[in-house]
């Protein structure tokens, strides 16, 4: 009787690695069973073609006519396995890649305190981080800008280098950092400390310069009131330009949190216009009814900045700022409130910086029924805790607002280790920009990676989460539960391989039975 038992699959032989004379490691043999395995696991939606297999082998078949194995470099195989053709993620449907809806109809991959590469208290900072996250698919980065210092001359820099690394030098740097935050800006004279009511508030400030252009003070990027490192604002702008459109041509939103004075804000404008020449949006939005689409803003940088106080209501704007329940100023305000200290008055955004924010103009959040809550270009930024409070009290209104207008959520100031919130909670509320600490590769960042895989950083919301394409929508009572039809999902997971499994009887893994 013929044996009807299925044939056993030939074991997969791990390629033998040998060290070449130049020190590099190469694959000396790859058996046909490995190629058969690659073919088998690719038999779903994306089957490997003979041409692709040949590309792996580069030098032709694994064995020649005499049965001798051809050499294949390991990096060739690894390069292929990390290409899009080998991606385990199924490509997005064409409808999910539709870029013709208003900006508010998309989830946007976003970063929080982008300049930091460590924790929120004494971590390192670098301009290169901006380039890195943008290439990885981030489309909304954050820049915290503070007044700069006059640059030291070469002689002073040599003395500073001599002290660097010593205990005295560290103590001096900490003392200088604390003094900077306690004392007024060096550009502010004693006369300027007392406001002159007769002075035109929105007069264009002259650039802040010194006798030597080499020592001109330029804005800095840092996490205020902490011991984190600082980065020149100019370097950050250059890094944004270098990384913005390497892997995606979809628009990039630069969220500015401005703590600098008027003079330094004007220098910020000069630097941005120099670094991002040809990339900024320069249109009038006075009669705008609905936000443009991402397809209309390809290869463009959108500046997000707070709206300048109204000229006729300067005093009331200052009062509203000091009593605002929530603002774009993030961890500083939360720390002040938790310590019981009065909130520090923030720098006012000058008019010329505010007008750079064409479609993304920030407003202090008062309520979802405030007059600015229906402006097409407004953006509310709320901390995770504040947003949850609003959801508890006005859930349907919050969801309805986010169908037509932009909102940004950011981690609580208590997340000192740069841990992340669960972004899915806020995506379900329709929040477009859920800012994460990308330097912490935790569950939050992994979910973000999965959410935006293959989307270029702009993912179209489900239909029930999108608003009117013509604008002028009114706030309704529809909640997220009413937004779409819920279906049962059967999920099957096939485990192909595993490693580091516990041995049988290991008491640490009683519930795991490999």
């Amino acid at each position: 009787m013929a044996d009807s038992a299925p044939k056993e699959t030939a074991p997969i032989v791990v390629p033998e690695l040998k060290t070449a004379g130049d020190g590099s490691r190469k694959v000396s043999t790859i058996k046909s069973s490995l190629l058969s395995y690659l073919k088998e696991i690719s038999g779903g939606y994306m089957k490997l073609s003979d041409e692709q297999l040949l590309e792996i082998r580069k030098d032709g078949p694994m064995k020649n006519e005499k049965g001798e194995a051809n050499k294949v470099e390991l990096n060739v195989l690894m390069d292929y396995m990390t290409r899009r053709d080998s991606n385990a993620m199924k490509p997005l449907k064409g409808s999910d890649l539709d870029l013709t809806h208003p900006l508010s109809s998309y989830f946007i991959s976003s970063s929080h305190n982008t300049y930091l590469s460590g924790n929120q208290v004494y971590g390192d900072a670098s301009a290169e981080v901006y380039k890195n996250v943008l290439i990885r698919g981030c489309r909304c980065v954050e820049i915290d800008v503070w007044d700069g210092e006059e640059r030291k001359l070469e002689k002073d820099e040599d003395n500073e280098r001599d002290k660097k690394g010593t205990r005295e030098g560290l103590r001096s740097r900490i003392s200088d950092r604390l003094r900077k935050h306690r004392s007024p800006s060096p550009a502010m004279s004693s006369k300027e400390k007392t406001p002159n009511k007769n002075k035109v508030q929105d007069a264009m400030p002259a650039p802040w310069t010194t006798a030597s252009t080499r020592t001109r003070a330029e804005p800095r990027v840092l996490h205020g009131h902490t011991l984190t490192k600082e980065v020149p604002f100019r370097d950050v702008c250059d890094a944004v330009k270098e990384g913005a459109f390497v892997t995606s041509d979809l628009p990039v939103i630069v969220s500015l949190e401005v703590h600098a004075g008027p003079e330094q804000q004007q220098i910020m404008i000069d630097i941005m216009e120099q670094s991002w020449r040809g990339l900024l949006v320069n249109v009038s939005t006075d009669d705008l009814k609905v936000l443009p689409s991402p397809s209309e803003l390809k290869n463009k940088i959108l500046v997000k900045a707070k709206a300048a106080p109204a000229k006729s209501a300067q005093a009331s704007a200052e009062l509203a700022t000091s009593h605002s329940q929530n603002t774009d100023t993030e961890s500083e305000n939360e720390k002040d409130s938790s310590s019981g200290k009065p909130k520090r008055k923030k720098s006012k955004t000058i008019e010329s910086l505010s007008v750079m924010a064409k479609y993304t103009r920030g407003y202090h959040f008062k309520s979802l029924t405030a007059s600015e809550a229906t402006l097409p270009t407004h953006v509310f930024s709320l901390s995770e805790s504040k947003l949850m409070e609003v959801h508890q009290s006005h859930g349907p209104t919050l969801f309805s607002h986010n169908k037509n207008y932009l909102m940004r959520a950011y981690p609580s100031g208590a997340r000192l280790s740069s841990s992340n919130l669960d972004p899915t909670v806020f995506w379900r509320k329709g929040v477009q920009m859920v800012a994460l600490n990308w330097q912490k590769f935790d569950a939050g960042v992994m979910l973000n990676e999965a959410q935006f895989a293959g989307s270029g950083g702009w993912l179209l919301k489900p239909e029930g989460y999108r608003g009117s394409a013509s604008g002028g929508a009114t706030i309704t009572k529809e909640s997220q539960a009413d937004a779409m039809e819920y279906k049962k999902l059967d999920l099957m997971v096939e485990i192909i391989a595993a490693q580091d499994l516990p041995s049988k009887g290991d008491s640490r893994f009683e519930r795991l039975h490999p």
Side-chain angles (χ1 to χ4, degrees):
M1 176 179 278
D3 187 2
S4 59
K7 287 186 177 182
E8 292 186 2
T9 305
I12 297 169
V13 180
V14 178
E16 179 185 1
L17 292 176
K18 290 186 177 180
T19 304
D22 58 359
S24 62
R25 306 188 78 190
K26 297 184 177 181
V27 178
S28 61
T29 59
I30 295 183
K31 293 196 173 182
S32 58
S33 58
L34 176 57
L35 295 179
S36 299
Y37 181 67
L38 290 175
K39 262 187 173 180
E40 181 181 342
I41 65 174
S42 67
Y45 70 91
M46 192 179 291
K47 189 175 181 64
L48 290 177
S49 64
D50 291 337
E51 290 76 14
Q52 289 171 321
L53 290 173
L54 283 173
E55 188 175 354
I56 292 178
R57 290 173 279 183
K58 287 291 185 182
D59 298 326
M62 290 296 99
K63 293 184 179 181
N64 56 28
E65 294 178 354
K66 297 180 180 180
E68 298 171 340
N70 291 325
K71 292 184 178 180
V72 180
E73 292 188 2
L74 177 63
N75 62 347
V76 174
L77 179 61
M78 293 300 100
D79 176 67
Y80 177 79
M81 295 302 293
T82 55
R83 292 182 191 177
R84 181 174 297 179
D85 291 342
S86 302
N87 196 339
M89 298 290 294
K90 186 175 181 180
L92 292 174
K93 296 183 297 183
S95 57
D96 292 332
L97 298 174
D98 184 358
L99 299 170
T100 61
H101 295 267
L103 298 178
S104 57
S105 296
Y106 295 83
F107 295 120
I108 308 166
S109 184
S110 305
S111 166
H112 169 252
N113 285 356
T114 311
Y115 48 90
L116 292 180
S117 56
N119 63 54
Q120 306 287 312
V121 182
Y122 53 85
D124 288 334
S126 170
E128 282 298 309
V129 179
Y130 287 86
K131 184 177 178 180
N132 176 274
V133 300
L134 288 166
I135 290 175
R136 287 168 58 191
C138 182
R139 295 289 92 184
C140 177
V141 296
E142 181 181 23
I143 308 178
D144 292 354
V145 191
W146 296 76
D147 283 335
E149 295 179 301
E150 293 183 359
R151 299 177 184 173
K152 292 181 174 63
L153 297 176
E154 292 183 5
K155 185 175 181 181
D156 295 330
E157 291 175 349
D158 291 338
N159 294 334
E160 196 67 29
R161 278 194 294 269
D162 291 339
K163 292 197 300 179
K164 188 176 181 181
T166 65
R167 182 175 297 179
E168 179 184 354
L170 177 61
R171 187 182 298 114
S172 175
R173 291 196 299 275
I174 294 175
S175 176
D176 289 344
R177 176 65 63 84
L178 295 175
R179 186 169 61 253
K180 291 169 199 168
H181 293 305
R182 290 171 181 166
S183 58
S185 168
M188 186 181 292
S189 65
S190 57
K191 291 182 180 180
E192 289 175 316
K193 293 178 185 177
T194 304
N196 183 354
K197 295 182 179 179
N198 298 323
K199 186 177 179 179
V200 179
Q201 295 289 341
D202 62 335
M204 180 68 71
W208 189 2
T209 57
T210 61
S212 172
T213 55
R214 289 188 307 140
T215 61
R216 184 181 83 159
E218 289 194 349
R220 303 170 296 161
V221 177
L222 58 95
H223 196 197
H225 310 296
T226 68
L227 297 178
T228 54
K229 301 295 191 298
E230 62 184 55
V231 184
F233 180 70
R234 184 182 293 275
D235 291 358
V236 168
C237 291
D238 290 343
V240 168
K241 178 183 179 180
E242 291 175 12
F245 306 111
V246 173
T247 57
S248 173
D249 60 358
L250 299 183
V252 170
I253 299 173
V254 175
S255 180
L256 297 176
E257 186 179 329
V258 181
H259 304 271
E263 297 88 350
Q264 292 275 278
Q265 290 184 44
Q266 183 57 47
I267 294 179
M268 286 173 58
I269 296 172
D270 295 341
I271 293 173
M272 287 188 288
E273 289 179 342
Q274 292 169 14
S275 294
W276 303 337
R277 187 181 304 276
L279 301 176
L280 294 169
V281 177
N282 187 20
V283 297
S284 173
T285 58
D286 293 341
D287 300 323
L288 188 71
K289 301 297 183 183
V290 63
L291 290 169
S293 67
S295 62
E296 298 175 85
L297 298 171
K298 287 185 175 181
N299 295 303
K300 291 296 181 181
I301 293 176
L302 307 181
V303 174
K304 174 184 169 295
K306 292 178 186 145
K311 300 175 186 178
S312 60
Q314 183 76 16
S316 61
E318 291 179 1
L319 182 62
T321 298
S322 62
H323 291 288
S324 175
Q325 293 182 356
N326 188 40
T327 69
D328 282 337
T329 301
E330 302 179 355
S331 44
E332 293 86 352
N333 281 353
E334 296 193 8
K335 290 173 190 170
D336 291 343
S337 61
S338 62
S339 61
K341 296 179 181 179
K343 293 181 180 180
R344 184 182 63 83
K345 183 180 288 186
K346 298 176 293 299
S347 301
K348 296 293 181 293
T349 305
I350 62 174
E351 182 67 24
S352 51
L353 177 57
S354 178
V355 296
M356 291 186 73
K358 298 298 183 182
Y359 304 119
T360 48
R361 190 165 298 175
Y363 287 85
H364 298 303
F365 177 76
K366 304 182 187 70
S367 74
L368 293 168
T369 56
S371 58
E372 60 267 21
T374 56
L375 295 175
T377 58
H378 86 273
V379 182
F380 287 143
S381 289
L382 290 84
S383 69
E384 57 178 304
S385 55
K386 180 62 179 179
L387 209 151
M388 292 305 295
E389 288 179 15
V390 177
H391 173 69
Q392 291 294 330
S393 57
H394 302 91
T397 305
L398 173 66
F399 182 78
S400 179
H401 169 276
N402 294 340
K403 292 173 69 173
N404 297 283
Y405 308 107
L406 293 170
M407 182 171 284
R408 176 175 174 269
Y410 55 83
S412 164
R415 294 182 180 273
L416 302 181
S417 66
S418 296
S419 62
N420 282 300
L421 48 80
D422 179 355
T424 63
V425 173
F426 302 95
W427 289 329
R428 287 196 295 269
K429 294 165 180 45
V431 177
Q432 292 85 358
M433 294 168 277
V434 182
L436 300 176
N437 297 308
W438 283 52
Q439 70 271 33
K440 190 85 167 185
F441 199 72
D442 54 12
V445 170
M446 293 181 193
L447 287 167
N448 194 79
E449 293 267 2
Q451 169 83 327
F452 293 99
S455 69
W458 288 75
L459 181 66
L460 185 64
K461 292 180 178 182
E463 185 176 358
Y465 280 60
R466 305 196 297 259
S468 170
S470 59
T474 57
I475 301 296
T476 67
K477 296 296 183 181
E478 182 186 34
S479 69
Q480 63 193 61
D482 307 319
M484 58 190 301
E485 180 184 355
Y486 287 84
K487 300 178 180 179
K488 184 179 178 181
L489 174 67
D490 292 325
L491 179 64
M492 292 179 58
V493 178
E494 180 182 358
I495 300 176
I496 297 174
Q499 64 183 25
D500 294 333
L501 293 176
S503 58
K504 188 174 182 180
D506 192 330
S507 59
R508 295 174 301 168
F509 303 95
E510 294 179 355
R511 298 181 61 184
L512 182 61
H513 303 287

